[in-house]
């Protein structure tokens, strides 16, 4: 008996063309409730009064216990990653990012993104794929993850022309401007707790302004190719060379 793929052909097409795909309701409430409990415990929060998580210095964790309830271990998430990576993508980490409400009530769209993997303290950490889900529903202007559709293609074309920059040199290149990685208007990922967006590692992105009363609590997982070190300086002629789609 054949098993249906985790993503439909249309969803795979969207991922490849736009750089991301949303899978509504991928995570069941039982996971969300347990993740909320463990995140809140890690920052001494109060689930009934999220705004009262006054101490913004505390760093919530997403390395939940036991390991098989972590986001990267979730069966639906694993199935999507297996389909996209053909079993060759390995989890780098699961982490939790809170986007706190701002004092100002004025909202403006985030106008500049960044690429992950270029970290001034840990250096270059190339990878393939990210996924994001929320622990509480996120409304527009509620600090949702902002992605620039098709920026994976713009970044790939940029690095094809300047492969020496793929290790991070573009950041200090005076000719580089972030608008190069913003070929289309930005998209703010909003939705229900448990909806998941999978996005290509070359996607320019950022948190958006949060002018609601509630912290935006996002779980982010990143995957590397298991042979990433072997080809990390290569910008392949076919962007999907190391993918299974
Ligand atoms: O908080 C967000 O929505 C974005 C987080 C982010 O840009 C990152 O973790 O690299």
């Amino acid at each position: 008996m054949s098993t249906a793929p985790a993503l439909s052909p249309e969803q795979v097409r969207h991922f490849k063309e736009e750089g991301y795909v949303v899978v509504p309701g991928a995570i069941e409430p039982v996971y969300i409730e347990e993740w909320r409990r463990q995140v809140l415990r890690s920052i001494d929060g109060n689930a009934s009064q999220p705004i009262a998580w006054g101490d913004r210095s505390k760093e919530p964790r997403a390395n939940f216990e036991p390991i098989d309830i972590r986001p990267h271990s979730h069966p639906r998430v694993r199935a999507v990653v297996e389909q996209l990576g053909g079993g060759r993508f390995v989890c780098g980490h699961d982490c939790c990012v809170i986007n706190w409400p701002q004092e100002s009530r004025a909202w403006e769209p985030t106008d500049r993104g960044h690429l992950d993997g270029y970290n001034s303290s840990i250096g270059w950490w190339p990878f393939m794929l990210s996924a994001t889900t929320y622990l509480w529903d996120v409304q527009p202007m509620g600090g949702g993850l902002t992605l620039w559709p098709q920026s994976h293609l713009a970044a790939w074309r940029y690095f094809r022309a300047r492969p020496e920059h793929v290790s991070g040199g573009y950041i200090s290149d005076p000719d580089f401007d972030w608008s190069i990685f913003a070929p289309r208007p930005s998209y703010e990922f909003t939705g229900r707790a448990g909806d998941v967006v999978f996005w290509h590692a070359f996607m320019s992105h950022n948190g958006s302004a949060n002018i609601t009363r509630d912290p935006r609590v996002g779980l982010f997982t990143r995957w590397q190719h298991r042979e990433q070190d072997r080809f990390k300086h290569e910008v392949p002629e076919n962007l999907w060379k190391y993918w299974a789609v």
Side-chain angles (χ1 to χ4, degrees):
M1 193 176 73
S2 67
T3 313
L7 296 178
S8 68
E10 172 56 25
Q11 286 174 309
V12 171
R13 187 198 61 74
H14 193 278
F15 178 80
K16 292 181 76 173
E17 290 181 4
E18 302 300 320
Y20 70 94
V21 64
V22 176
V23 181
I27 309 287
E28 304 85 342
V30 65
Y31 278 85
I32 296 295
E33 280 158 25
E34 179 59 19
W35 292 347
R36 285 178 183 168
R37 200 181 64 76
Q38 294 202 25
V39 162
L40 288 167
R41 196 177 55 194
S42 74
I43 59 169
D44 303 328
N46 177 343
S48 62
Q49 268 186 307
I51 195 65
W53 303 359
D55 184 354
R56 299 185 177 200
S57 67
K58 288 191 176 143
E59 298 209 347
R61 313 283 298 264
N63 52 348
F64 305 127
E65 294 297 344
I67 191 169
D68 59 8
I69 67 154
R70 291 183 192 174
H72 78 268
S73 302
H74 184 275
R76 186 79 193 273
V77 172
R78 285 172 65 119
V80 171
V81 174
E82 172 86 18
Q83 183 181 2
L84 294 176
R88 295 182 294 271
F89 290 1
V90 291
C91 177
H93 68 190
D94 299 295
C95 70
C96 179
V97 183
I98 297 186
N99 190 347
W100 293 99
Q102 298 174 340
E103 299 296 321
S104 157
R105 303 304 294 172
W107 190 84
E108 286 185 17
T110 305
D111 62 2
R112 214 193 91 157
H114 65 269
L115 301 191
D116 283 345
Y118 303 95
N119 184 300
S120 54
S121 54
I122 62 169
W124 183 32
W125 186 66
F127 61 101
M128 307 297 283
L129 176 70
S130 295
T132 302
T133 191
Y134 301 133
L135 291 192
W136 283 269
D137 299 352
V138 173
Q139 312 295 332
M141 300 183 244
L145 168 69
T146 295
L147 297 163
W148 273 264
Q150 301 182 14
S151 52
H152 65 315
L153 302 177
W156 168 66
R157 286 191 198 104
Y158 174 88
F159 291 133
R160 279 290 294 167
R162 300 164 194 79
E164 71 281 7
H165 279 354
V166 76
S167 56
Y170 67 98
I171 295 165
S172 52
D173 177 358
D175 292 333
F176 177 75
D177 186 280
W178 281 101
S179 63
I180 296 170
F181 291 175
R184 294 281 182 279
S186 61
Y187 158 72
E188 186 187 15
F189 171 53
T190 58
R192 309 292 304 269
D195 296 349
V196 178
V197 60
F198 293 87
W199 42 287
H200 191 285
F202 274 177
M203 288 293 279
S204 181
H205 66 282
N206 228 334
S208 61
N210 181 359
I211 61 163
T212 68
R213 294 190 66 249
D214 301 321
R216 191 289 328 256
V217 186
L219 301 184
F220 289 72
T221 301
R222 299 184 175 94
W223 288 265
Q224 291 184 285
H225 192 288
R226 66 182 179 211
E227 293 173 50
Q228 196 101 38
D229 278 347
R230 179 172 64 75
F231 63 77
K232 66 181 185 180
H233 290 277
E234 176 188 351
V235 184
E237 188 177 351
N238 173 2
L239 175 61
W240 306 101
K241 176 175 176 183
Y242 295 105
W243 295 69
V245 288

